[in-house]
Amino acid sequence: MHYKAFDNVSDKRFSIVAKSRYFFIFSIIITLLGIVTLLYHGLNYGVDFKAGSSVDISFKKDVSGQKAQIEQFLKDNDFGTPGMTFGAKRVTLRFDDVLTDVKENTLKQGIMDKFDKGASMEVNTVDVEIAKELQGNALKAVLVASIGIMIYVSIRFEWRFAVAAIVALLHDAFIVISLFSIFKLEVNLPFIVAVLTIVGYSINDTIVIFDRVRENLRFAKLKTHEDVANVVNASIWQTMSRSINTVMTVLFATICLLIFGSESIRMFSLAVLFGLISGAYSSIFIASPLWLALKSKQKPKPTAKSSAAS
Amino acid sequence: MNRRLLMFILIVVVSFGVVGGLSKWVVDDVKLGLDLKGGFEILYEAEPIDATSKVTKDSLNETAKSLEARANSTGVQEPEVTTEGDNRIRVKIAGVTDEKKVRDVLKKPAELTFRSARGCAADAGYCKVELTGSDFKQNGADVQQTNLNQYEITIKLKDASKFAEVTREVSKLSPTGSPLAIFLDETMISAPNVAQEINSSSAVISGDFTRDEAKNLKDTINLGALPLKLTEKYTQSVGATLGKKSLDETVYAGAIATVVILLFMMIFYRLPGVIASISIIVFIWLLLLGFNLIHATLTLPGIAAFILGIGMAVDANIIMAERIREELRSGKSILSSQKAGSKNSFRTIIDAHVTTAIAALVLFFIGVGSVKGFAVILLLSIAMSILTNVFFSRLLLTLLLKSGVVKKKSNFGVKESEIRAL
């Protein structure tokens, strides 16, 4: 029973469980802030969610000095004044109307003839209906997946773990959505994939800590609420270096993609980055304390043995 | 040198040999999505050609097949045409050089109809559609030369009795017979007069065609037998150079990330970190091999699933290594620490993988398009991760420890001072 030794260790460490109220408050504030911003200005939907076309042009040479010429070219060819983002070698155009394929060709040909033969383009044209449907579809998928995970965790662990894990998971997905709303970052289809990635990571991370809690519960002598709280706290600390190291390695990967990866997955990488941080935070500071809170609501039974059941 | 050590070395050498020797082949074989290779994707929504009929599963499949045939006729490589839901068709064509031409061929509705003036107002022309594209046999059009050195096009009908009925009704309209006009889209090609019932499964379009005109018309009709009307709902087109650039940048970023992760593992976890690095390399290779075996296409969402997969793979190794370290710190011997650590971490890793797999399965069954692709790759990486990061890692570590060459706990990144007495 070497686990007893950890109980002593945990006593000396900072008690996450004891301070859990502050973490709950912090998360609730962020969530409320998210709801308010979402209601106030919603999400900054990119082309995938608003009818129209987006054209991403990647030039071989520096065209930053030719902004006026490009604008003129667009005007001359009846393209109106689309939204423009200008980089040295990259120009993004956003048309409110869907480009017909004839116009698309005129644009491609014109850009290549007038400005840069080596220019390469990405053109996205979307019917709003499809994007909304995909969004709804993803949302439905997350909810169904949550139910599936809840059933599995309820069988393998206990329903309280399931509830806590799902709360943490939805918390993470929502935080990312809120942050994108607060900073008005563009939401496109890859964003949905990013949210799904976060859901996958978040649940993975939470389960690892829960597994340790469950294991420690088996060996611990539980008489009072403090005993259970100590086990939770010890479990969090025992898995702390794993939690930190894992999130660090995944963060490395994401930051690499953010810095060196292609422009087209920049928003995706950023969403994953937010989600990873939130996922690690919620697994450590929200999920287990929440389980404890649910557990302490449980009606006391004559012997403490029952609470060790898994 | 003992047998277990030999075995260990052998496995590592063979693994690296296979990975090194076959990686060019595996990597070259990975099918890239259009966002990484250039190309385009169109999502069509199908509607019935006339208002009375419905889109059926059959007509949708038939339309998809015709689209594929159209794409193939332009000589592009492996067009991917799939039906989605009740009324959608997704066409993906990667690595196209002449995008405009392919899109034109796909778009051309070329709806062939036979129309009459039955029941029409006096000046409404041929308002009644008697036969539509779906009544004609696919690839049933042919060119023939007549005695007068003219060209005519024969087309085959699916149902002779239907044609008989139509011609009977049309011929009744006037005592001398009445025209049954042939339209390609909204253009009338000819308006032959039908004087009597024609009980045949073929019809002839004659006109003043040159040989080339006749041949073009034949080809268009053959292509044109699309049973459903299609509208574009979503298109994405990526220039080949841009796609290549995305791929290069992403691979470069991925390579840096992988090197950093492996270094981190080796420095921080020492021996288990080295074993983990071997497993992760094998894992990545197997994942790519898996892509090829199930003919998955690597796209940007696929890369997202790949990252999550690597994250989980690293996590599995970290969980095991941390667990072994804990056991070592508690004062156990290296061998029993490894045994207890592997055993205790196994359940955690499986639970973590299974919950993610549940999420991936749901996404697979509910999701469409890129979400489905994401789910497939995630599921694949979960399976590969259990195989390599649980079983393979453990096998290697067990062999090495049982061989007795590892004697110091510092090889696990555990300091002597951290070890408690039992």
Side-chain angles (χ1 to χ4, degrees), chain B residues 31 66 97 106 141 169 175 205 273 286 297 311 333 338 410 415 419:
Chain B
K31 222 166 88 191
S66 321
T97 40
L106 283 180
E169 292 302 316
I205 305 171
L286 271 178
T297 306
S333 74
Q338 192 266 335
S410 59
K415 288 190 206 99
I419 300 166

Side-chain angles (χ1 to χ4, degrees), chain A residues 170-211:
Chain A
L170 297 177
H171 166 271
D172 299 335
F174 191 75
I175 292 268
V176 176
I177 295 170
S178 301
L179 285 173
F180 265 62
S181 173
I182 291 168
F183 296 119
K184 294 190 171 178
L185 298 168
E186 199 177 273
V187 170
N188 269 334
L189 292 184
F191 177 78
I192 290 183
V193 178
V195 172
L196 298 176
T197 312
I198 291 153
V199 167
Y201 176 81
S202 172
I203 189 69
N204 193 65
D205 205 25
T206 309
I207 289 297
V208 173
I209 301 177
F210 279 0
D211 226 85

Side-chain angles (χ1 to χ4, degrees), chain B residues 133-162:
Chain B
S134 54
D135 292 316
F136 305 106
K137 271 193 188 157
Q138 251 185 333
N139 288 320
D142 213 347
V143 178
Q144 273 172 357
Q145 204 171 7
T146 64
N147 298 333
L148 298 165
N149 265 337
Q150 277 191 319
Y151 292 93
E152 57 180 30
I153 296 133
T154 57
I155 45 178
K156 288 205 179 72
L157 287 127
K158 282 182 185 159
D159 186 353
S161 62
K162 190 169 182 188

